[in-house]
Amino acid sequence: MSSPSQDSILTAAGRLFGERGYRAVTVRDIAAEAGVSAALVMKLFISKAKLFAAVQPDESLLTELTVPASELGGALVFRVLMRRERGMQEPWAIIPINVHDAPDPEAARNELRERYLGSIAKLIGDATPERRYASTVTALMTGFGETVRTLGLFDGWDFDELVAYYGGIVQAQIDACTAAHASPTAP
């Protein structure tokens, strides 16, 4: 069970790492944002690298979807837009930052790739050896999350129209996965 101090440190670290990346954030920055001492941050988390690992995005948001398979694309897009509306951290948008700024980028890449691809593959039923459809959905969602937050490419769009439009693009890959696995000559 976490303490209020731990929660405030994790919240501050998640926001700062998400905004600036691993290298640009100091333990003192996190402590100041959380309203605690740097010594407490180190006592609770041992190192900046361990704190960084503790605030990695939670991919459970991918597996807790309780919608029919025919609505998964829209549901994934809807969640990105809702997090934007609420000013919440966007896991899809910070994947590149978490890889490039990690203390060990190759280990971070492998770990995040496996977590996200595994979650998406399970969610959409992708049993292809290379997880072809899960890879495409992951790429689409990472790009969407990043551009919504960083570039604001979809600013001004009607919320529901964007869910339908981009959700349809994502859904096409999910439907292709379903069709491929239903076919006796699936890839």
Side-chain angles (χ1 to χ4, degrees):
M1 177 174 260
S2 64
S3 71
S5 293
Q6 285 175 308
D7 291 342
S8 66
I9 292 166
L10 289 169
T11 299
R15 189 180 74 67
L16 292 172
F17 286 140
E19 288 176 1
R20 299 188 217 161
Y22 178 82
R23 290 185 181 99
V25 176
T26 66
V27 169
R28 286 190 177 141
D29 294 336
I30 295 165
E33 178 79 14
V36 299
S37 71
L40 180 60
V41 173
M42 293 305 288
K43 177 181 177 189
L44 294 173
F45 293 96
I46 312 300
S47 70
K48 181 175 141 182
K50 288 187 182 201
L51 177 56
F52 182 77
V55 296
Q56 292 298 305
D58 181 8
E59 77 281 353
S60 67
L61 59 99
L62 304 174
T63 57
E64 294 172 358
L65 291 168
T66 55
V67 299
S70 62
E71 297 174 19
L72 282 174
L76 288 167
V77 169
F78 176 85
R79 286 183 170 206
V80 169
L81 296 175
M82 285 306 295
R83 286 189 295 272
R84 178 188 68 181
E85 297 281 317
R86 295 177 180 163
M88 297 169 67
Q89 183 181 37
E90 179 52 59
W92 295 108
I94 63 173
I95 290 172
I97 293 169
N98 286 340
V99 170
H100 295 294
D101 282 355
D104 182 350
E106 188 60 32
R109 179 183 355 273
N110 292 336
E111 192 266 332
L112 286 169
R113 180 177 47 230
E114 194 52 43
R115 282 175 42 196
Y116 278 83
L117 278 182
S119 293
I120 290 291
K122 182 178 177 184
L123 182 67
I124 69 173
D126 186 354
T128 60
E130 69 280 3
R131 297 182 287 196
R132 162 184 316 183
Y133 304 102
S135 295
T136 305
V137 169
T138 300
L140 287 167
M141 292 307 301
T142 302
F144 183 69
E146 180 71 22
T147 58
V148 163
R149 289 300 177 104
T150 306
L151 300 177
L153 292 183
F154 298 103
D155 289 354
W157 281 56
D158 175 76
F159 187 98
D160 293 331
E161 182 182 341
L162 184 52
V163 169
Y165 176 75
Y166 202 86
I169 293 169
V170 174
Q171 190 64 45
Q173 287 302 304
I174 296 168
D175 293 345
C177 179
T178 303
H181 291 309
S183 166
T185 59

